[in-house]
Amino acid sequence: MEKIKFLVLFLCFIFTSITIAQCDIKNRVQADGSMLYYFDPAVFYTTKSKSLKINIVTDKEHYFVALQPTPFPDKKIGKKIKEDLVIHLADKNIYKLTHYDTQYRRNDSIMQVLYLIDDKDVNAFSNYGAVTAEINMEGTEFVRSYNFKLHKNAIMEQLNCFLKKEE
């Protein structure tokens, strides 16, 4: 009986830790002095030749999907990426996110492309998992399609953490 109590207590601790860790919001100050809030990127897709990490970033006014594709073009070509992102959600609808910025970080070892989630689409992104993303990678191939295999609900979960914090 004592072992069962200990096991139940241990499992409660583990599940509580996992739930708290999901809302581990980080922040950083931009060069212009503004504050951005974000999560560590989640791996959405990975193969031997390419991968895609995604996370939600906010300035407390707007929400962005941040993509970190690998491989990525060099800075000169990558800065030309200006096309919008197309995401298919589990609600079977297609959403177009406006390109906001392309950044190279950590001594250009990471490329991150920010796409603005339209205010009218925040509800859909907070309720449905991502299925596919189509990215126009200027200078590499025309459009890369990623059928998400891992962490399909990461966008939804991260966005819900931000929305919960605001309440």
Side-chain angles (χ1 to χ4, degrees):
M1 185 67 171
E2 194 66 31
K3 289 181 182 180
I4 292 173
K5 286 182 184 179
F6 178 73
L7 180 64
V8 170
L9 182 63
F10 179 73
L11 290 175
C12 287
F13 175 75
I14 294 296
F15 288 122
T16 303
S17 297
I18 290 169
T19 303
I20 292 169
Q22 288 176 346
C23 284
D24 186 18
I25 299 171
K26 300 178 188 299
N27 61 49
R28 74 171 165 263
V29 178
Q30 297 293 92
D32 65 0
S34 62
M35 182 74 76
L36 283 183
Y37 301 89
Y38 65 97
F39 289 91
D40 286 330
V43 177
F44 263 49
Y45 181 91
T46 187
T47 65
K48 289 181 181 179
S49 61
K50 60 184 177 178
S51 71
L52 182 68
K53 292 181 181 180
I54 293 183
N55 64 314
I56 297 292
V57 176
T58 185
D59 58 4
K60 297 274 184 154
E61 191 175 329
H62 301 98
Y63 297 98
F64 304 92
V65 171
L67 301 182
Q68 293 179 0
T70 304
F72 55 85
D74 65 44
K75 202 172 197 175
K76 185 177 177 184
I77 294 171
K79 287 292 189 176
K80 294 179 184 177
I81 295 174
K82 302 287 184 208
E83 296 295 321
D84 296 338
L85 171 68
V86 175
I87 291 189
H88 302 250
L89 295 183
D91 66 351
K92 302 205 188 306
N93 288 319
I94 300 171
Y95 298 87
K96 188 178 243 186
L97 282 64
T98 306
H99 177 270
Y100 183 77
D101 191 22
T102 301
Q103 306 167 341
Y104 283 78
R105 301 175 47 222
R106 295 191 190 154
N107 297 323
D108 299 342
S109 64
I110 296 174
M111 178 184 128
Q112 177 172 279
V113 186
L114 293 173
Y115 296 94
L116 178 65
I117 300 174
D118 194 301
D119 289 341
K120 68 178 176 44
D121 296 331
V122 168
N123 189 44
F125 278 88
S126 66
N127 287 304
Y128 298 99
V131 177
T132 305
E134 298 167 10
I135 309 162
N136 187 337
M137 294 297 288
E138 188 93 16
T140 54
E141 60 246 32
F142 291 110
V143 176
R144 284 189 195 174
S145 277
Y146 296 91
N147 292 318
F148 298 141
K149 306 288 184 201
L150 308 167
H151 304 105
K152 293 180 178 190
N153 293 330
I155 291 174
M156 180 178 68
E157 291 166 358
Q158 291 178 11
L159 190 54
N160 282 324
C161 283
F162 283 129
L163 294 173
K164 202 180 304 177
K165 271 266 202 240
E166 288 177 4
E167 293 173 359

